[in-house]
Amino acid sequence: MKPEDRRHFSRIHFASAAQLITVDARLDVQVLDLSLQGALLTLPQPVKLEAGEPCLLALRLGDATVKMAAELAHVKADQVGLQCRCIDLESISHLRRLVEMNLGSSKLLERELKALLAA
């Protein structure tokens, strides 16, 4: 079974610049996709990162900034997958609105939010 087959949260394609902050670096990255539980990023240059490292993703959405405390779930060449560990109420509200607009289904979004809260 492929890892993407086990996902419990819908991913939306979302090309945007963001910052990834690790213990050792502050990197300008490109977001490839987002979900309520994480993100897939492209790194601008090769960087030594290890799966399991804590990090913070800061993503500007208009006048707001979504801040997600995460863990590096996987690192492959120039791509990094993040798993959300903590997100504040304001950030999850903005992310929820973005996901809802892209999913086009409030029922699917509500199911994912319930799964997120149960985790």
Side-chain angles (χ1 to χ4, degrees):
M1 180 183 295
K2 295 180 192 175
E4 59 270 12
D5 294 338
R6 293 180 286 160
R7 288 193 177 119
H8 299 293
F9 298 93
S10 299
R11 290 192 170 269
I12 59 166
H13 295 287
F14 188 76
S16 177
Q19 274 205 329
L20 178 66
I21 302 160
T22 68
V23 173
D24 298 320
R26 180 180 294 258
L27 307 166
D28 291 321
V29 296
Q30 184 72 26
V31 177
L32 297 176
D33 65 38
L34 286 170
S35 77
L36 294 177
Q37 191 61 19
L40 181 63
L41 314 173
T42 298
L43 300 170
Q45 72 268 352
V47 180
K48 186 171 179 356
L49 298 173
E50 299 282 331
E53 282 185 56
C55 60
L56 177 71
L57 178 66
L59 169 66
R60 296 278 307 154
L61 293 176
D63 294 337
T65 301
V66 171
K67 294 179 183 171
M68 177 187 295
E71 179 179 300
L72 300 178
H74 60 83
V75 180
K76 294 180 184 171
D78 67 341
Q79 291 189 346
V80 176
L82 305 183
Q83 173 145 12
C84 180
R85 293 295 178 212
C86 184
I87 189 167
D88 64 82
L89 187 57
E90 185 176 340
S91 291
I92 193 69
S93 296
H94 291 298
L95 186 56
R96 176 184 185 263
R97 195 171 318 124
L98 178 67
V99 171
E100 183 176 30
M101 288 187 316
N102 283 277
L103 284 179
S105 170
S106 59
K107 288 183 181 182
L108 178 58
L109 179 65
E110 291 303 319
R111 187 172 63 226
E112 290 187 6
L113 284 171
K114 286 179 185 176
L116 181 64
L117 294 172

